[in-house]
Amino acid sequence: MTLLSADAVVCDAERVIEDGAVVVAGDRIEAVGDRGDLADAYPDHERVECDVLAPGLVGAHVHSVQSLGRGIADDEELLDWLFDHVLPMEASMGADEMRAAADLAYLELIESGTTTAIDHLSVAHAEEAFDAAADAGVRALMGKVLMDKDSPDGLLEDTDAALAETEDLIQRYDGTDGGRIRYAVTPRFAVSCTEACLRGCRNLADEYGVRIHTHASENRGEIETVEDETGMRNVHWLDEVGLTGEDVVLAHCVWTDETEREVLAETGTHVTHCPSSNMKLASGVAPVRDYLDRGINVALGNDGPPCNNTLDAFTEMRQASLLGKVEELDPTAIPARTVFEMATRNGAAAAGFDDVGKLREGWKADVVGLTTDNARSTPIHDPYSHLAFAAHGDDVTLTVVDGEILYRDGEHVRMDDATIRERAREFAEAY
Ligand SMILES: [Zn+2]
């Protein structure tokens, strides 16, 4: 039983409580309100003071397995980046490397304030990341990658084997750790998956009631390839084989035409916008304002460390707002509150967590606390402006998932951070 309090409690995109507090009981929020009132009502609770409290951030598209490749392929063309660096690294990774990469990613997420991740793993050794997420305490929707076509040796797999392993992993991991870990069927993208594979993914998602997460329309070469092979625009092809809907999260969606956007809106498909990745790989600018105007749920993601190069979700809020303003040539296009909502509730909605992403009574106690004891955080006229434009992951002093303190004042509670960094450095020497 804990009483978290702060000068500003940012409950959601609508509500800020000055001198507020959040009462945590078990894995839930029991009360949200005035600091003094709640301190009187819960006099025996452990007290934790922060300057700002907010819902834990949601990284709605990350690649924990690529953590060891941070900085290996900066300033490269996308296809060189992918086929000369990132995929060979993934193909060469054994179980120990996968575990080291996942540990490093979850360490970074937790200490920079991300409490939920949608994690696109690799073809092999997915169980290492599931075990790492369980041990780290992070909330996650994650899945083994399927690649059964036009993929390099070491990643290319037989269609039936890929689907069978996926089914096995769903049975082993979906809904584990009290529902904190959920499975997503995760084909890499249409270019590297056969029609049978994609349709098989839909069948598994329906059979087990799990989500689907894949990349879509990130760059022009990808959509040209899909159109050459299928005669359809990429989102129409995904729709044709069952990869749209309220249980589908598509990363990127940079290159979509009017008719594809109608499909995304009509089917309730979720989109994860990855502005840093899209800029660094010069993929293009996703039409985020247009998606939001159509009622499409847009979340935010950092993508992988080789294309970002951090998992700091605060950076992504800033980039999303600034890029959206430039795209529209309109400084009102993507305001601070909008990116805050994208990085919190919209991400949780994409991941299928119905009671995550707001500080609200009865909801899951996933909370971050920040210090404002630095020049960059002085003064704060508007907490949303601060979180979207000035705050960094370094400002996080408290990370709570399911009511459990995972990180406080620079100290990890569950994770041995020095050992995780050292192991990551050793394994990363191979790349
Ligand atoms: Zn990605």
Side-chain angles (χ1 to χ4, degrees):
M1 306 283 271
T2 314
L3 185 115
L4 314 174
S5 63
D7 300 338
V9 176
V10 182
C11 301
D12 53 37
E14 312 295 326
R15 183 184 184 208
V16 176
I17 304 171
E18 283 185 37
D19 289 320
V22 176
V23 177
V24 176
D27 63 349
R28 300 274 168 186
I29 294 170
E30 184 168 307
V32 180
D34 178 78
R35 172 159 36 192
D37 293 348
L38 290 177
D40 291 343
Y42 299 89
D44 299 327
H45 279 36
E46 182 194 354
R47 307 293 174 91
V48 179
E49 294 278 338
C50 298
D51 294 329
V52 176
L53 285 171
L57 301 179
V58 179
H61 179 65
V62 303
H63 296 260
S64 65
V65 304
Q66 295 176 5
S67 293
L68 304 183
R70 192 191 317 275
I72 59 169
D74 296 334
D75 317 318
E76 296 262 5
E77 292 287 340
L78 176 83
L79 292 181
D80 297 340
W81 176 89
L82 188 64
F83 286 99
D84 294 349
H85 299 280
V86 173
L87 293 183
M89 176 184 73
E90 282 192 22
S92 73
M93 290 173 77
D96 289 345
E97 287 83 353
M98 207 63 77
R99 175 71 197 224
D103 281 339
L104 180 66
Y106 303 143
L107 188 75
E108 184 181 0
L109 291 172
I110 288 167
E111 68 189 25
S112 60
T114 294
T115 52
T116 298
I118 301 180
D119 193 357
H120 200 274
L121 303 175
S122 190
V123 170
H125 309 300
E127 60 278 2
E128 296 292 332
F130 277 96
D131 292 345
D135 290 346
V138 71
R139 189 179 304 284
L141 175 77
M142 52 204 292
K144 158 209 157 46
V145 168
L146 298 95
M147 299 176 78
D148 70 334
K149 163 177 164 294
D150 297 340
S151 302
D153 288 347
L155 294 175
L156 181 68
E157 51 181 354
D158 173 74
T159 308
D160 291 341
L163 292 168
E165 188 187 2
T166 298
E167 185 167 17
D168 176 57
L169 289 166
I170 293 170
Q171 292 171 344
R172 282 170 66 187
Y173 291 109
D174 182 51
T176 53
D177 281 79
R180 195 165 49 70
I181 305 293
R182 292 192 187 163
Y183 200 91
V185 181
T186 313
R188 185 150 218 134
F189 64 154
V191 172
S192 64
C193 295
T194 62
E195 179 176 351
C197 177
L198 296 174
R199 290 187 186 278
C201 288
R202 167 44 71 195
N203 290 339
L204 284 173
D206 286 346
E207 185 174 350
Y208 290 95
V210 298
R211 284 174 124 68
I212 294 171
H213 178 47
T214 191
H215 297 100
S217 307
E218 179 178 0
N219 71 82
R220 284 176 292 183
E222 168 199 353
I223 62 170
E224 285 166 10
T225 300
V226 173
E227 195 155 5
D228 286 347
E229 292 177 356
T230 68
M232 293 186 198
R233 298 276 300 184
N234 190 32
V235 172
H236 289 300
W237 172 241
L238 295 176
D239 189 50
E240 168 72 22
V241 297
L243 269 58
T244 53
E246 292 176 1
D247 58 356
V248 176
V249 186
L250 300 180
H252 301 300
C253 295
V254 173
W255 296 98
T256 53
D257 70 13
E258 176 72 20
T259 62
E260 291 175 290
R261 297 176 197 183
E262 286 172 5
V263 168
L264 293 174
E266 285 168 5
T267 57
T269 304
H270 306 270
V271 170
T272 299
H273 178 40
C274 303
S276 295
S277 169
N278 294 160
M279 284 191 273
K280 190 158 184 272
L281 288 166
S283 301
V285 185
V288 171
R289 184 67 260 166
D290 185 56
Y291 289 156
L292 293 170
D293 289 343
R294 292 170 189 267
I296 295 169
N297 182 52
V298 183
L300 290 181
N302 286 66
D303 213 348
C307 64
N308 187 310
N309 299 354
T310 86
L311 296 178
D312 182 341
F314 290 91
T315 308
E316 250 25 58
M317 280 196 273
R318 178 183 166 92
Q319 305 282 45
S321 180
L322 301 191
L323 188 60
K325 292 169 189 291
V326 171
E327 166 74 352
E328 302 290 332
L329 293 177
D330 175 3
T332 72
I334 312 278
R337 282 179 196 240
T338 301
V339 289
F340 172 80
E341 192 161 41
M342 290 163 71
T344 52
R345 180 58 205 145
N346 290 10
F353 294 106
D354 294 335
D355 48 6
V356 172
K358 297 185 178 193
L359 301 183
R360 178 175 286 190
E361 286 176 20
W363 283 36
K364 289 284 192 178
D366 289 7
V367 189
V368 293
L370 291 84
T371 179
T372 58
D373 193 14
N374 54 52
R376 181 162 38 72
S377 306
T378 309
I380 296 176
H381 289 295
D382 173 356
Y384 297 107
S385 164
H386 175 65
L387 293 171
F389 298 127
H392 286 184
D394 300 358
D395 301 335
V396 170
T397 55
L398 178 74
T399 305
V400 177
V401 177
D402 261 354
E404 180 184 348
I405 294 175
L406 298 179
Y407 178 77
R408 185 177 178 184
D409 296 330
E411 302 285 333
H412 285 270
V413 177
R414 286 197 185 198
M415 304 180 87
D416 180 350
D417 56 321
T419 301
I420 289 169
R421 290 194 302 269
E422 183 57 32
R423 275 172 58 82
R425 275 191 287 267
E426 286 172 15
F427 283 120
E429 283 176 15
Y431 315 116

